[in-house]
């Protein structure tokens, strides 16, 4: 392989003859279940949706499961399920996908952001305690990038203060913490079935819990039961409006088929992840991807970060260097994207106006002195400034040829950062 970067006129590391195969792999089993869904007569919440619920609950170790139309919907159900309401505060990390915060707003509660830990890019347990106020009702943790959070430390704080713990496991199906599957550790949890997740139905989600009362409260916002008379037979009775969150039979059938080979899929993805990680060991300027024995990856995504000191040495700001690396990797034939999701920086939080009139922050039951000053989240900002992610290239059905090529391209770029055109 030439040492000259493709972006500087060299030959790309990834040959044109090598193709990265797209995720998910669609099999005859998938097609058979989807056709079975089409050929039966219950296309709303039909038999495949019900089967998906029961089989996932058994697979993950949950007593209760409700199949939703998105991971965001499942997260909102978690907030409602934990008895969190208007003006209540929920602590969540400043670094995540938007649903980790909007699900709190959906139930008129208030997100309180805390900084993350540099190594894991997940909620920093040492930052949680200082954010607790008399209005705090829960902690929403995010098992980011397919690796579990430090749950012992989080649960210890939650129990001391009587707080609910919600697990955003949308990226982490099959991930474990000290041998326990995520989604079985807190009070309620949400999974996503979006196409970019390692368990997919194209779109959809799953709300899970092990407590019957919690499950009943969560289900209450999933349908329009509040508009139905008692004699209609719906068991959902709640003051909150229903949001029609249930899934339909067709995506549930696709997800059900994917679930039945999920153990093999996750093993393949994690195997490729570790093969890539081994090949990248010792690569200059590269921050090692996070995983530990107690918190292993499920193979969801491989995350690249350049060491912050490298940008200083090159005389550019960190974000500019990261954009340059993404462009250089693209020129070599592999796509990595910026992971630019600092939640409190979003306009809804900076303006404190989600529904008009400043609501819910302007409500009388909301604490008046809430601040989203971005200076509170320096580690999250540094993670965002240096974070690149790739979801599909290491996923099955890709194998050793793709992993070898991917590793070669990454090593080439990170070894020759001085060749990247930078302002």
């Amino acid at each position: 392989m030439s040492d000259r970067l493709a972006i500087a006129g060299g030959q790309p590391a990834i040959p044109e003859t090598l193709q990265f195969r797209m995720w998910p792999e669609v099999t005859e089993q998938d097609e058979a279940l989807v056709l079975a869904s089409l050929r039966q007569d219950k296309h709303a919440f039909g038999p495949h949706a019900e089967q998906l619920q029961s089989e996932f609950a058994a697979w993950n170790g949950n007593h209760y499961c409700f199949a939703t139309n998105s991971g965001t919907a499942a997260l909102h159900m978690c907030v409602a399920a934990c008895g969190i309401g208007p003006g209540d505060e929920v602590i969540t990390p400043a670094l995540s996908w938007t649903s980790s915060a909007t699900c709190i707003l959906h139930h008129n509660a208030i997100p309180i952001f805390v900084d993350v830990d540099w190594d894991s890019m997940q909620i920093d347990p040492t930052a949680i305690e200082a954010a607790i106020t008399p209005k705090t009702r829960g902690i929403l943790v995010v098992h980011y990038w397919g690796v579990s959070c430090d749950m012992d430390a989080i649960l210890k704080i939650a129990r001391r203060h009587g707080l609910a713990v919600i697990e955003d496991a949308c990226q982490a199906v099959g991930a474990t913490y000290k041998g326990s599957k995520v989604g079985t550790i807190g009070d309620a949890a949400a999974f996503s079935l979006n196409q970019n997740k390692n368990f997919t139905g194209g779109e959809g989600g799953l709300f899970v819990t092990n407590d019957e009362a919690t499950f009943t409260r969560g289900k209450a916002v999933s349908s329009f039961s509040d508009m139905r008379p008692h004699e209609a037979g719906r068991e959902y009775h709640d003051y909150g409006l229903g949001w029609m969150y249930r899934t339909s039979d067709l995506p549930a059938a696709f997800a059900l088929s994917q679930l039945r080979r999920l153990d093999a899929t996750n093993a393949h993805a994690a195997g490729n992840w570790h093969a890539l990680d081994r090949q990248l060991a010792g690569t200059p300027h590269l921050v090692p991807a996070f995983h530990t024995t107690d918190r292993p990856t499920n193979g969801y995504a491989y995350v690249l970060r350049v060491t912050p000191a490298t940008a200083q040495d090159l005389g550019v700001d960190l974000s500019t260097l990261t954009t340059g690396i993404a462009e250089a990797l693209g020129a070599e034939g592999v796509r990595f994207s910026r992971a630019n999701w600092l939640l409190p920086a979003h306009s809804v939080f900076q303006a404190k106006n989600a529904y008009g009139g400043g609501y819910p922050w302007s409500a009388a039951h909301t604490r008046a002195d809430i601040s989203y000053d971005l200076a509170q989240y320096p580690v999250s900002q540094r993670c965002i400034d240096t974070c690149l992610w790739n979801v599909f290239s290491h996923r099955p059905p890709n194998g050793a040829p793709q992993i070898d090529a991917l590793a070669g391209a990454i090593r080439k770029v990170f070894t020759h950062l001085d060749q990247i055109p930078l302002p």
Side-chain angles (χ1 to χ4, degrees):
M1 182 189 301
S2 169
D3 287 341
R4 190 177 185 187
L5 295 186
I7 201 169
Q11 286 293 113
I14 309 292
E16 292 183 1
T17 55
L18 181 73
Q19 297 297 315
F20 288 96
R21 299 171 67 185
M22 281 301 295
W23 165 266
E25 182 179 17
V26 177
T27 67
E28 291 182 0
Q29 174 184 306
D30 297 323
E31 293 173 355
L33 273 183
V34 168
L35 284 172
S37 174
L38 284 171
R39 290 167 177 164
Q40 53 89 43
D41 61 0
K42 293 182 179 178
H43 296 291
F45 197 84
H48 295 89
E50 294 177 351
Q51 192 68 21
L52 174 63
Q53 292 178 157
S54 62
E55 290 195 22
F56 184 82
W59 181 87
N60 202 57
N62 296 110
H63 296 160
Y64 304 97
C65 176
F66 186 88
T68 70
N69 55 22
S70 69
T72 305
L75 281 166
H76 181 191
M77 292 175 70
C78 287
V79 173
C82 290
I84 294 162
D88 291 341
E89 297 174 9
V90 180
I91 295 169
T92 197
L95 177 57
S96 181
W97 178 248
T98 55
S99 300
S100 303
T102 56
C103 68
I104 300 167
L105 289 177
H106 285 163
H107 221 58
N108 297 307
I110 308 296
I112 302 296
F113 299 108
V114 298
D115 215 349
V116 299
D117 167 75
W118 165 257
D119 289 338
S120 67
M121 293 189 285
Q122 295 173 343
I123 193 167
D124 184 351
T126 65
I128 293 175
E129 195 104 36
I132 295 172
T133 75
K135 301 284 286 183
T136 307
R137 296 291 179 269
I139 306 169
L140 192 155
V141 303
V142 184
H143 301 303
Y144 212 29
W145 303 125
V147 177
S148 67
C149 295
D150 183 0
M151 293 304 294
D152 280 352
I154 293 163
L155 289 171
K156 183 178 180 181
I157 296 168
R159 288 167 181 154
R160 185 161 62 245
H161 293 275
L163 304 177
V165 174
I166 296 168
E167 296 179 72
D168 179 345
C170 288
Q171 298 181 356
V173 62
T176 58
Y177 177 75
K178 295 185 175 180
S180 295
K181 282 185 177 177
V182 299
T184 65
I185 304 167
D187 296 287
F191 296 90
S192 171
L193 304 181
N194 180 270
Q195 182 179 351
N196 73 11
K197 304 305 189 291
N198 58 333
F199 168 35
T200 181
E203 190 56 274
L206 297 161
F207 158 61
V208 299
T209 182
N210 286 337
D211 179 74
E212 184 177 9
T214 302
F215 188 61
T216 300
R217 284 193 300 269
K219 284 176 65 179
V221 297
S222 70
S223 189
F224 298 130
S225 58
D226 48 304
M227 299 297 186
R228 302 276 289 186
H230 179 71
E231 59 269 20
R234 296 277 183 94
E235 74 271 29
Y236 317 138
H237 301 285
D238 195 77
Y239 287 109
L241 294 174
W243 290 56
M244 192 48 74
Y245 277 157
R246 70 189 183 198
T247 191
S248 58
D249 201 70
L250 199 59
F254 185 26
L256 182 61
S257 179
Q258 294 275 319
L259 173 62
R260 289 173 178 173
R261 62 179 188 275
L262 182 54
D263 285 325
T265 299
N266 271 2
H268 189 158
N272 284 350
W273 192 101
H274 283 288
L276 178 61
D277 195 55
R278 286 192 295 271
Q279 292 198 46
L280 294 178
T283 299
H285 316 300
L286 181 65
V287 178
F290 180 81
H291 68 106
T292 71
T293 302
D294 286 340
R295 299 158 67 185
T297 179
N298 69 347
Y300 169 70
Y302 199 90
V303 179
L304 304 180
R305 288 186 290 169
V306 64
T307 55
T310 301
Q312 186 175 10
D313 292 342
L314 292 172
V316 296
D317 68 82
L318 189 54
S319 182
T320 298
L321 177 58
T322 300
T323 296
I325 292 171
E327 292 171 353
L329 287 166
E332 298 296 339
V334 61
R335 179 172 174 248
F336 274 80
S337 301
R338 294 290 304 267
N340 192 17
W341 303 307
L342 184 67
L343 298 186
H346 289 201
S347 58
V348 65
F349 299 111
Q350 290 301 299
K352 292 186 186 176
N353 187 9
Y355 298 106
Y359 196 82
W361 292 272
S362 61
H365 46 249
T366 299
R367 183 164 57 90
D369 59 343
I370 293 170
S371 169
Y372 296 121
D373 183 346
L374 300 185
Q376 300 173 91
Y377 322 108
V379 181
S380 298
Q381 184 63 63
R382 194 158 70 251
C383 288
I384 284 168
D385 286 344
T386 187
C387 189
L388 294 167
W389 70 306
N390 179 292
V391 170
F392 300 125
S393 296
H394 73 285
R395 293 263 187 92
N398 292 307
Q402 288 85 5
I403 297 302
D404 292 346
L406 183 60
I410 295 168
R411 285 198 308 269
K412 180 182 178 184
V413 169
F414 274 79
T415 303
H416 300 95
L417 295 180
D418 58 327
Q419 296 181 26
I420 297 175
L422 295 170

